[in-house]
PDB file of all heavy atoms in Angstrom:
ATOM      1  N   ALA A 296       4.746   7.862 -11.808  1.00  0.00           N
ATOM      2  CA  ALA A 296       6.052   7.439 -12.339  1.00  0.00           C
ATOM      3  C   ALA A 296       7.028   7.295 -11.171  1.00  0.00           C
ATOM      4  O   ALA A 296       7.603   8.271 -10.683  1.00  0.00           O
ATOM      5  CB  ALA A 296       6.561   8.454 -13.362  1.00  0.00           C
ATOM      6  N   LYS A 298       9.941   6.403 -10.811  1.00  0.00           N
ATOM      7  CA  LYS A 298      11.326   6.857 -10.930  1.00  0.00           C
ATOM      8  C   LYS A 298      11.537   8.228 -10.292  1.00  0.00           C
ATOM      9  O   LYS A 298      12.638   8.560  -9.882  1.00  0.00           O
ATOM     10  CB  LYS A 298      11.756   6.888 -12.404  1.00  0.00           C
ATOM     11  CG  LYS A 298      10.964   7.882 -13.239  1.00  0.00           C
ATOM     12  CD  LYS A 298      11.477   7.943 -14.652  1.00  0.00           C
ATOM     13  CE  LYS A 298      10.950   6.822 -15.516  1.00  0.00           C
ATOM     14  NZ  LYS A 298       9.479   6.864 -15.736  1.00  0.00           N
ATOM     15  N   ALA A 299      10.483   9.026 -10.177  1.00  0.00           N
ATOM     16  CA  ALA A 299      10.640  10.372  -9.614  1.00  0.00           C
ATOM     17  C   ALA A 299      10.966  10.333  -8.121  1.00  0.00           C
ATOM     18  O   ALA A 299      11.692  11.204  -7.619  1.00  0.00           O
ATOM     19  CB  ALA A 299       9.370  11.196  -9.851  1.00  0.00           C
ATOM     20  N   ASP A 317       3.807   3.541 -12.590  1.00  0.00           N
ATOM     21  CA  ASP A 317       4.542   3.388 -13.847  1.00  0.00           C
ATOM     22  C   ASP A 317       5.982   3.073 -13.459  1.00  0.00           C
ATOM     23  O   ASP A 317       6.633   3.887 -12.804  1.00  0.00           O
ATOM     24  CB  ASP A 317       4.445   4.701 -14.636  1.00  0.00           C
ATOM     25  CG  ASP A 317       5.564   4.856 -15.645  1.00  0.00           C
ATOM     26  OD1 ASP A 317       5.903   3.859 -16.307  1.00  0.00           O
ATOM     27  OD2 ASP A 317       6.099   5.977 -15.780  1.00  0.00           O
ATOM     28  N   VAL A 319      10.007   1.357 -14.269  1.00  0.00           N
ATOM     29  CA  VAL A 319      11.009   1.187 -15.329  1.00  0.00           C
ATOM     30  C   VAL A 319      12.089   0.175 -14.961  1.00  0.00           C
ATOM     31  O   VAL A 319      13.136   0.126 -15.601  1.00  0.00           O
ATOM     32  CB  VAL A 319      11.689   2.523 -15.724  1.00  0.00           C
ATOM     33  CG1 VAL A 319      10.755   3.375 -16.544  1.00  0.00           C
ATOM     34  CG2 VAL A 319      12.195   3.269 -14.519  1.00  0.00           C
ATOM     35  N   ALA A 340       7.693   0.053 -18.282  1.00  0.00           N
ATOM     36  CA  ALA A 340       8.348   0.524 -19.505  1.00  0.00           C
ATOM     37  C   ALA A 340       9.860   0.371 -19.390  1.00  0.00           C
ATOM     38  O   ALA A 340      10.370  -0.004 -18.334  1.00  0.00           O
ATOM     39  CB  ALA A 340       8.002   1.997 -19.738  1.00  0.00           C
ATOM     40  N   GLU A 363       9.307  -1.407 -26.351  1.00  0.00           N
ATOM     41  CA  GLU A 363      10.059  -0.390 -27.091  1.00  0.00           C
ATOM     42  C   GLU A 363      10.728  -0.905 -28.360  1.00  0.00           C
ATOM     43  O   GLU A 363      11.342  -0.134 -29.095  1.00  0.00           O
ATOM     44  CB  GLU A 363      11.102   0.248 -26.170  1.00  0.00           C
ATOM     45  CG  GLU A 363      10.537   0.649 -24.809  1.00  0.00           C
ATOM     46  CD  GLU A 363      10.877   2.066 -24.391  1.00  0.00           C
ATOM     47  OE1 GLU A 363      11.437   2.812 -25.204  1.00  0.00           O
ATOM     48  OE2 GLU A 363      10.554   2.416 -23.237  1.00  0.00           O
ATOM     49  N   ARG A 387       5.303   1.383 -27.404  1.00  0.00           N
ATOM     50  CA  ARG A 387       5.774   2.759 -27.182  1.00  0.00           C
ATOM     51  C   ARG A 387       6.199   3.319 -28.527  1.00  0.00           C
ATOM     52  O   ARG A 387       7.180   2.865 -29.121  1.00  0.00           O
ATOM     53  CB  ARG A 387       6.933   2.798 -26.203  1.00  0.00           C
ATOM     54  CG  ARG A 387       7.473   4.211 -26.094  1.00  0.00           C
ATOM     55  CD  ARG A 387       8.316   4.434 -24.895  1.00  0.00           C
ATOM     56  NE  ARG A 387       8.811   5.796 -24.859  1.00  0.00           N
ATOM     57  CZ  ARG A 387       9.629   6.259 -23.951  1.00  0.00           C
ATOM     58  NH1 ARG A 387      10.036   5.458 -22.997  1.00  0.00           N
ATOM     59  NH2 ARG A 387      10.036   7.501 -23.986  1.00  0.00           N
ATOM     60  N   TYR A 399      18.843  16.297 -22.284  1.00  0.00           N
ATOM     61  CA  TYR A 399      18.958  15.010 -21.582  1.00  0.00           C
ATOM     62  C   TYR A 399      17.593  14.416 -21.256  1.00  0.00           C
ATOM     63  O   TYR A 399      17.495  13.237 -20.977  1.00  0.00           O
ATOM     64  CB  TYR A 399      19.719  15.181 -20.256  1.00  0.00           C
ATOM     65  CG  TYR A 399      21.218  15.152 -20.381  1.00  0.00           C
ATOM     66  CD1 TYR A 399      21.852  15.332 -21.603  1.00  0.00           C
ATOM     67  CD2 TYR A 399      22.007  14.944 -19.257  1.00  0.00           C
ATOM     68  CE1 TYR A 399      23.219  15.323 -21.690  1.00  0.00           C
ATOM     69  CE2 TYR A 399      23.381  14.935 -19.345  1.00  0.00           C
ATOM     70  CZ  TYR A 399      23.984  15.132 -20.564  1.00  0.00           C
ATOM     71  OH  TYR A 399      25.338  15.123 -20.646  1.00  0.00           O
ATOM     72  N   ILE A 400      16.560  15.244 -21.197  1.00  0.00           N
ATOM     73  CA  ILE A 400      15.254  14.714 -20.809  1.00  0.00           C
ATOM     74  C   ILE A 400      14.205  14.903 -21.909  1.00  0.00           C
ATOM     75  O   ILE A 400      13.017  14.897 -21.667  1.00  0.00           O
ATOM     76  CB  ILE A 400      14.766  15.293 -19.446  1.00  0.00           C
ATOM     77  CG1 ILE A 400      14.914  16.816 -19.378  1.00  0.00           C
ATOM     78  CG2 ILE A 400      15.521  14.662 -18.300  1.00  0.00           C
ATOM     79  CD1 ILE A 400      14.426  17.445 -18.076  1.00  0.00           C
ATOM     80  N   THR A 402      12.696  12.965 -24.944  1.00  0.00           N
ATOM     81  CA  THR A 402      12.733  11.542 -25.280  1.00  0.00           C
ATOM     82  C   THR A 402      11.924  11.183 -26.516  1.00  0.00           C
ATOM     83  O   THR A 402      12.002  10.064 -26.993  1.00  0.00           O
ATOM     84  CB  THR A 402      12.193  10.708 -24.103  1.00  0.00           C
ATOM     85  OG1 THR A 402      11.001  11.320 -23.628  1.00  0.00           O
ATOM     86  CG2 THR A 402      13.191  10.645 -22.981  1.00  0.00           C
ATOM     87  N   PHE A 409      14.558   5.688 -27.349  1.00  0.00           N
ATOM     88  CA  PHE A 409      13.271   5.211 -26.857  1.00  0.00           C
ATOM     89  C   PHE A 409      12.280   4.948 -27.992  1.00  0.00           C
ATOM     90  O   PHE A 409      12.284   5.635 -28.999  1.00  0.00           O
ATOM     91  CB  PHE A 409      12.660   6.243 -25.903  1.00  0.00           C
ATOM     92  CG  PHE A 409      13.558   6.559 -24.744  1.00  0.00           C
ATOM     93  CD1 PHE A 409      14.336   7.699 -24.737  1.00  0.00           C
ATOM     94  CD2 PHE A 409      13.643   5.681 -23.674  1.00  0.00           C
ATOM     95  CE1 PHE A 409      15.177   7.967 -23.665  1.00  0.00           C
ATOM     96  CE2 PHE A 409      14.488   5.943 -22.610  1.00  0.00           C
ATOM     97  CZ  PHE A 409      15.260   7.092 -22.606  1.00  0.00           C
ATOM     98  N   HIS A 435       1.549   3.786 -26.497  1.00  0.00           N
ATOM     99  CA  HIS A 435       2.168   4.537 -25.410  1.00  0.00           C
ATOM    100  C   HIS A 435       3.113   5.595 -25.985  1.00  0.00           C
ATOM    101  O   HIS A 435       3.802   5.343 -26.972  1.00  0.00           O
ATOM    102  CB  HIS A 435       2.940   3.540 -24.525  1.00  0.00           C
ATOM    103  CG  HIS A 435       3.766   4.182 -23.456  1.00  0.00           C
ATOM    104  ND1 HIS A 435       5.093   3.859 -23.264  1.00  0.00           N
ATOM    105  CD2 HIS A 435       3.469   5.122 -22.532  1.00  0.00           C
ATOM    106  CE1 HIS A 435       5.559   4.573 -22.244  1.00  0.00           C
ATOM    107  NE2 HIS A 435       4.606   5.340 -21.792  1.00  0.00           N
ATOM    108  N   PHE A 436       3.105   6.766 -25.343  1.00  0.00           N
ATOM    109  CA  PHE A 436       3.954   7.884 -25.791  1.00  0.00           C
ATOM    110  C   PHE A 436       4.559   8.563 -24.569  1.00  0.00           C
ATOM    111  O   PHE A 436       3.960   8.547 -23.490  1.00  0.00           O
ATOM    112  CB  PHE A 436       3.112   8.929 -26.548  1.00  0.00           C
ATOM    113  CG  PHE A 436       2.311   8.348 -27.667  1.00  0.00           C
ATOM    114  CD1 PHE A 436       1.038   7.823 -27.431  1.00  0.00           C
ATOM    115  CD2 PHE A 436       2.820   8.299 -28.952  1.00  0.00           C
ATOM    116  CE1 PHE A 436       0.293   7.261 -28.451  1.00  0.00           C
ATOM    117  CE2 PHE A 436       2.081   7.739 -29.983  1.00  0.00           C
ATOM    118  CZ  PHE A 436       0.806   7.220 -29.730  1.00  0.00           C
ATOM    119  N   HIS A 437       5.700   9.148 -24.753  1.00  0.00           N
ATOM    120  CA  HIS A 437       6.247  10.032 -23.703  1.00  0.00           C
ATOM    121  C   HIS A 437       7.218  10.963 -24.409  1.00  0.00           C
ATOM    122  O   HIS A 437       8.171  10.510 -25.030  1.00  0.00           O
ATOM    123  CB  HIS A 437       6.960   9.221 -22.613  1.00  0.00           C
ATOM    124  CG  HIS A 437       7.625  10.092 -21.594  1.00  0.00           C
ATOM    125  ND1 HIS A 437       6.921  10.760 -20.612  1.00  0.00           N
ATOM    126  CD2 HIS A 437       8.917  10.428 -21.404  1.00  0.00           C
ATOM    127  CE1 HIS A 437       7.763  11.457 -19.866  1.00  0.00           C
ATOM    128  NE2 HIS A 437       8.983  11.280 -20.331  1.00  0.00           N
ATOM    129  N   GLY A 439       8.944  13.721 -23.078  1.00  0.00           N
ATOM    130  CA  GLY A 439      10.021  14.349 -22.312  1.00  0.00           C
ATOM    131  C   GLY A 439       9.514  14.799 -20.955  1.00  0.00           C
ATOM    132  O   GLY A 439       8.368  14.528 -20.589  1.00  0.00           O
ATOM    133  N   SER A 440      10.380  15.482 -20.237  1.00  0.00           N
ATOM    134  CA  SER A 440      10.069  15.828 -18.857  1.00  0.00           C
ATOM    135  C   SER A 440      10.274  17.325 -18.625  1.00  0.00           C
ATOM    136  O   SER A 440      10.936  17.996 -19.421  1.00  0.00           O
ATOM    137  CB  SER A 440      10.999  15.013 -17.962  1.00  0.00           C
ATOM    138  OG  SER A 440      10.538  14.961 -16.653  1.00  0.00           O
ATOM    139  N   GLN A 441       9.712  17.832 -17.520  1.00  0.00           N
ATOM    140  CA  GLN A 441       9.800  19.262 -17.168  1.00  0.00           C
ATOM    141  C   GLN A 441       9.327  20.134 -18.349  1.00  0.00           C
ATOM    142  O   GLN A 441       9.996  21.071 -18.780  1.00  0.00           O
ATOM    143  CB  GLN A 441      11.225  19.625 -16.697  1.00  0.00           C
ATOM    144  CG  GLN A 441      11.445  21.071 -16.219  1.00  0.00           C
ATOM    145  CD  GLN A 441      10.397  21.546 -15.203  1.00  0.00           C
ATOM    146  OE1 GLN A 441       9.726  20.780 -14.556  1.00  0.00           O
ATOM    147  NE2 GLN A 441      10.243  22.842 -15.060  1.00  0.00           N
ATOM    148  N   GLY A 475       1.975   9.140 -21.335  1.00  0.00           N
ATOM    149  CA  GLY A 475       3.180   9.362 -20.546  1.00  0.00           C
ATOM    150  C   GLY A 475       3.023  10.495 -19.544  1.00  0.00           C
ATOM    151  O   GLY A 475       1.922  10.816 -19.089  1.00  0.00           O
ATOM    152  N   GLY A 476       4.168  11.087 -19.211  1.00  0.00           N
ATOM    153  CA  GLY A 476       4.152  12.158 -18.202  1.00  0.00           C
ATOM    154  C   GLY A 476       4.777  13.409 -18.764  1.00  0.00           C
ATOM    155  O   GLY A 476       4.605  13.723 -19.936  1.00  0.00           O
ATOM    156  N   GLY A 477       5.497  14.127 -17.923  1.00  0.00           N
ATOM    157  CA  GLY A 477       6.275  15.256 -18.411  1.00  0.00           C
ATOM    158  C   GLY A 477       5.834  16.631 -17.967  1.00  0.00           C
ATOM    159  O   GLY A 477       6.538  17.615 -18.209  1.00  0.00           O
ATOM    160  N   LEU A 478       4.669  16.732 -17.314  1.00  0.00           N
ATOM    161  CA  LEU A 478       4.220  18.070 -16.897  1.00  0.00           C
ATOM    162  C   LEU A 478       5.241  18.681 -15.931  1.00  0.00           C
ATOM    163  O   LEU A 478       5.645  18.045 -14.956  1.00  0.00           O
ATOM    164  CB  LEU A 478       2.838  17.975 -16.238  1.00  0.00           C
ATOM    165  CG  LEU A 478       2.246  19.298 -15.749  1.00  0.00           C
ATOM    166  CD1 LEU A 478       2.018  20.268 -16.900  1.00  0.00           C
ATOM    167  CD2 LEU A 478       0.939  19.058 -14.993  1.00  0.00           C
ATOM    168  N   TYR A 482      10.237  25.721 -10.818  1.00  0.00           N
ATOM    169  CA  TYR A 482      11.445  25.666  -9.973  1.00  0.00           C
ATOM    170  C   TYR A 482      11.841  27.053  -9.459  1.00  0.00           C
ATOM    171  O   TYR A 482      12.421  27.180  -8.399  1.00  0.00           O
ATOM    172  CB  TYR A 482      12.624  25.067 -10.758  1.00  0.00           C
ATOM    173  CG  TYR A 482      12.597  23.548 -10.831  1.00  0.00           C
ATOM    174  CD1 TYR A 482      12.078  22.896 -11.945  1.00  0.00           C
ATOM    175  CD2 TYR A 482      13.085  22.772  -9.793  1.00  0.00           C
ATOM    176  CE1 TYR A 482      12.055  21.511 -12.019  1.00  0.00           C
ATOM    177  CE2 TYR A 482      13.062  21.380  -9.850  1.00  0.00           C
ATOM    178  CZ  TYR A 482      12.550  20.755 -10.969  1.00  0.00           C
ATOM    179  OH  TYR A 482      12.523  19.383 -11.031  1.00  0.00           O
ATOM    180  N   GLU A 514       1.258   9.083 -17.086  1.00  0.00           N
ATOM    181  CA  GLU A 514       2.326   8.623 -16.183  1.00  0.00           C
ATOM    182  C   GLU A 514       3.028   9.846 -15.615  1.00  0.00           C
ATOM    183  O   GLU A 514       4.029  10.305 -16.153  1.00  0.00           O
ATOM    184  CB  GLU A 514       3.358   7.800 -16.958  1.00  0.00           C
ATOM    185  CG  GLU A 514       2.798   6.575 -17.636  1.00  0.00           C
ATOM    186  CD  GLU A 514       3.777   5.895 -18.552  1.00  0.00           C
ATOM    187  OE1 GLU A 514       4.781   6.531 -18.956  1.00  0.00           O
ATOM    188  OE2 GLU A 514       3.547   4.728 -18.896  1.00  0.00           O
ATOM    189  N   LEU A 515       2.475  10.392 -14.556  1.00  0.00           N
ATOM    190  CA  LEU A 515       3.030  11.637 -14.009  1.00  0.00           C
ATOM    191  C   LEU A 515       3.981  11.350 -12.853  1.00  0.00           C
ATOM    192  O   LEU A 515       3.665  10.586 -11.945  1.00  0.00           O
ATOM    193  CB  LEU A 515       1.896  12.547 -13.549  1.00  0.00           C
ATOM    194  CG  LEU A 515       1.001  13.062 -14.670  1.00  0.00           C
ATOM    195  CD1 LEU A 515      -0.204  13.808 -14.116  1.00  0.00           C
ATOM    196  CD2 LEU A 515       1.790  13.971 -15.610  1.00  0.00           C
ATOM    197  N   GLY A 516       5.141  11.963 -12.893  1.00  0.00           N
ATOM    198  CA  GLY A 516       6.122  11.796 -11.824  1.00  0.00           C
ATOM    199  C   GLY A 516       6.386  13.112 -11.124  1.00  0.00           C
ATOM    200  O   GLY A 516       5.808  13.446 -10.088  1.00  0.00           O
ATOM    201  N   ARG A 517       7.224  13.939 -11.770  1.00  0.00           N
ATOM    202  CA  ARG A 517       7.687  15.183 -11.177  1.00  0.00           C
ATOM    203  C   ARG A 517       6.550  16.067 -10.630  1.00  0.00           C
ATOM    204  O   ARG A 517       6.621  16.581  -9.525  1.00  0.00           O
ATOM    205  CB  ARG A 517       8.461  15.978 -12.237  1.00  0.00           C
ATOM    206  CG  ARG A 517       9.123  17.215 -11.690  1.00  0.00           C
ATOM    207  CD  ARG A 517       9.699  18.072 -12.824  1.00  0.00           C
ATOM    208  NE  ARG A 517      10.341  17.337 -13.865  1.00  0.00           N
ATOM    209  CZ  ARG A 517      11.666  17.116 -13.949  1.00  0.00           C
ATOM    210  NH1 ARG A 517      12.465  17.598 -13.041  1.00  0.00           N
ATOM    211  NH2 ARG A 517      12.161  16.428 -14.953  1.00  0.00           N
ATOM    212  N   SER A 518       5.500  16.235 -11.461  1.00  0.00           N
ATOM    213  CA  SER A 518       4.446  17.188 -11.083  1.00  0.00           C
ATOM    214  C   SER A 518       3.719  16.770  -9.797  1.00  0.00           C
ATOM    215  O   SER A 518       3.116  17.605  -9.132  1.00  0.00           O
ATOM    216  CB  SER A 518       3.447  17.346 -12.232  1.00  0.00           C
ATOM    217  OG  SER A 518       2.970  16.074 -12.631  1.00  0.00           O
ATOM    218  N   ARG A 553      20.911  16.921  -9.556  1.00  0.00           N
ATOM    219  CA  ARG A 553      20.327  17.644 -10.691  1.00  0.00           C
ATOM    220  C   ARG A 553      21.115  18.887 -11.131  1.00  0.00           C
ATOM    221  O   ARG A 553      21.328  19.065 -12.330  1.00  0.00           O
ATOM    222  CB  ARG A 553      18.859  18.005 -10.422  1.00  0.00           C
ATOM    223  CG  ARG A 553      17.968  16.781 -10.122  1.00  0.00           C
ATOM    224  CD  ARG A 553      16.489  17.119 -10.152  1.00  0.00           C
ATOM    225  NE  ARG A 553      16.024  17.362 -11.496  1.00  0.00           N
ATOM    226  CZ  ARG A 553      15.806  18.536 -12.014  1.00  0.00           C
ATOM    227  NH1 ARG A 553      15.963  19.620 -11.290  1.00  0.00           N
ATOM    228  NH2 ARG A 553      15.412  18.653 -13.271  1.00  0.00           N
ATOM    229  N   TYR A 557      22.353  18.313 -14.860  1.00  0.00           N
ATOM    230  CA  TYR A 557      21.558  18.988 -15.903  1.00  0.00           C
ATOM    231  C   TYR A 557      21.675  20.508 -15.843  1.00  0.00           C
ATOM    232  O   TYR A 557      20.854  21.204 -16.445  1.00  0.00           O
ATOM    233  CB  TYR A 557      20.058  18.681 -15.748  1.00  0.00           C
ATOM    234  CG  TYR A 557      19.684  17.253 -15.516  1.00  0.00           C
ATOM    235  CD1 TYR A 557      19.110  16.853 -14.318  1.00  0.00           C
ATOM    236  CD2 TYR A 557      19.868  16.291 -16.515  1.00  0.00           C
ATOM    237  CE1 TYR A 557      18.727  15.542 -14.104  1.00  0.00           C
ATOM    238  CE2 TYR A 557      19.482  14.970 -16.295  1.00  0.00           C
ATOM    239  CZ  TYR A 557      18.922  14.603 -15.098  1.00  0.00           C
ATOM    240  OH  TYR A 557      18.532  13.319 -14.887  1.00  0.00           O
ATOM    241  N   ALA A 610      11.296  15.527  -6.504  1.00  0.00           N
ATOM    242  CA  ALA A 610      11.349  14.634  -7.666  1.00  0.00           C
ATOM    243  C   ALA A 610      12.789  14.510  -8.144  1.00  0.00           C
ATOM    244  O   ALA A 610      13.482  15.523  -8.264  1.00  0.00           O
ATOM    245  CB  ALA A 610      10.480  15.181  -8.801  1.00  0.00           C
ATOM    246  N   TYR A 611      13.222  13.288  -8.420  1.00  0.00           N
ATOM    247  CA  TYR A 611      14.572  13.030  -8.934  1.00  0.00           C
ATOM    248  C   TYR A 611      15.638  13.608  -7.985  1.00  0.00           C
ATOM    249  O   TYR A 611      16.671  14.093  -8.423  1.00  0.00           O
ATOM    250  CB  TYR A 611      14.723  13.572 -10.368  1.00  0.00           C
ATOM    251  CG  TYR A 611      13.641  13.059 -11.282  1.00  0.00           C
ATOM    252  CD1 TYR A 611      12.609  13.886 -11.741  1.00  0.00           C
ATOM    253  CD2 TYR A 611      13.618  11.722 -11.668  1.00  0.00           C
ATOM    254  CE1 TYR A 611      11.597  13.397 -12.559  1.00  0.00           C
ATOM    255  CE2 TYR A 611      12.612  11.220 -12.488  1.00  0.00           C
ATOM    256  CZ  TYR A 611      11.610  12.062 -12.931  1.00  0.00           C
ATOM    257  OH  TYR A 611      10.609  11.575 -13.734  1.00  0.00           O
ATOM    258  N   MET A 615      17.834   9.752  -6.730  1.00  0.00           N
ATOM    259  CA  MET A 615      19.074   9.777  -7.528  1.00  0.00           C
ATOM    260  C   MET A 615      20.311   9.989  -6.654  1.00  0.00           C
ATOM    261  O   MET A 615      21.416  10.176  -7.163  1.00  0.00           O
ATOM    262  CB  MET A 615      19.007  10.883  -8.602  1.00  0.00           C
ATOM    263  CG  MET A 615      18.011  10.572  -9.719  1.00  0.00           C
ATOM    264  SD  MET A 615      17.900  11.883 -10.972  1.00  0.00           S
ATOM    265  CE  MET A 615      19.318  11.527 -12.012  1.00  0.00           C
TER     266      MET A 615
HETATM  267  N1  LLP B 278       6.914   8.010 -18.452  1.00  0.00           N
HETATM  268  C1  LLP B 278       8.092   7.735 -19.054  1.00  0.00           C
HETATM  269  C2  LLP B 278       8.139   6.741 -20.125  1.00  0.00           C
HETATM  270  C3  LLP B 278       9.260   8.433 -18.672  1.00  0.00           C
HETATM  271  O1  LLP B 278      10.406   8.175 -19.279  1.00  0.00           O
HETATM  272  C4  LLP B 278       9.175   9.408 -17.642  1.00  0.00           C
HETATM  273  C5  LLP B 278      10.370  10.137 -17.199  1.00  0.00           C
HETATM  274  C6  LLP B 278       7.928   9.645 -17.026  1.00  0.00           C
HETATM  275  C7  LLP B 278       6.810   8.930 -17.475  1.00  0.00           C
HETATM  276  C8  LLP B 278       7.730  10.650 -15.933  1.00  0.00           C
HETATM  277  O2  LLP B 278       8.022  11.929 -16.356  1.00  0.00           O
HETATM  278  P1  LLP B 278       7.710  13.198 -15.413  1.00  0.00           P
HETATM  279  O3  LLP B 278       6.219  13.308 -15.241  1.00  0.00           O
HETATM  280  O4  LLP B 278       8.396  12.975 -14.114  1.00  0.00           O
HETATM  281  O5  LLP B 278       8.299  14.330 -16.159  1.00  0.00           O
HETATM  282  N2  LLP B 278      16.062  12.754 -13.899  1.00  0.00           N
HETATM  283  C9  LLP B 278      15.506  13.798 -14.739  1.00  0.00           C
HETATM  284  C10 LLP B 278      14.135  13.414 -15.278  1.00  0.00           C
HETATM  285  C11 LLP B 278      14.150  12.128 -16.080  1.00  0.00           C
HETATM  286  C12 LLP B 278      12.772  11.750 -16.580  1.00  0.00           C
HETATM  287  C13 LLP B 278      12.789  10.407 -17.222  1.00  0.00           C
HETATM  288  N3  LLP B 278      11.519   9.923 -17.667  1.00  0.00           N
HETATM  289  C14 LLP B 278      15.441  15.087 -13.934  1.00  0.00           C
HETATM  290  O6  LLP B 278      15.909  15.109 -12.808  1.00  0.00           O
HETATM  291  O7  LLP B 278      14.971  16.115 -14.445  1.00  0.00           O
END
Side-chain angles (χ1 to χ4, degrees):
K298 64 176 81 65
D317 158 41
V319 286
E363 313 229 7
R387 175 163 179 183
Y399 276 17
I400 48 179
T402 45
F409 303 100
H435 173 230
F436 307 87
H437 175 76
S440 198
Q441 183 49 21
L478 180 62
Y482 280 97
E514 301 172 342
L515 294 173
R517 187 188 319 264
S518 53
R553 302 192 72 258
Y557 314 114
Y611 307 108
M615 290 179 81

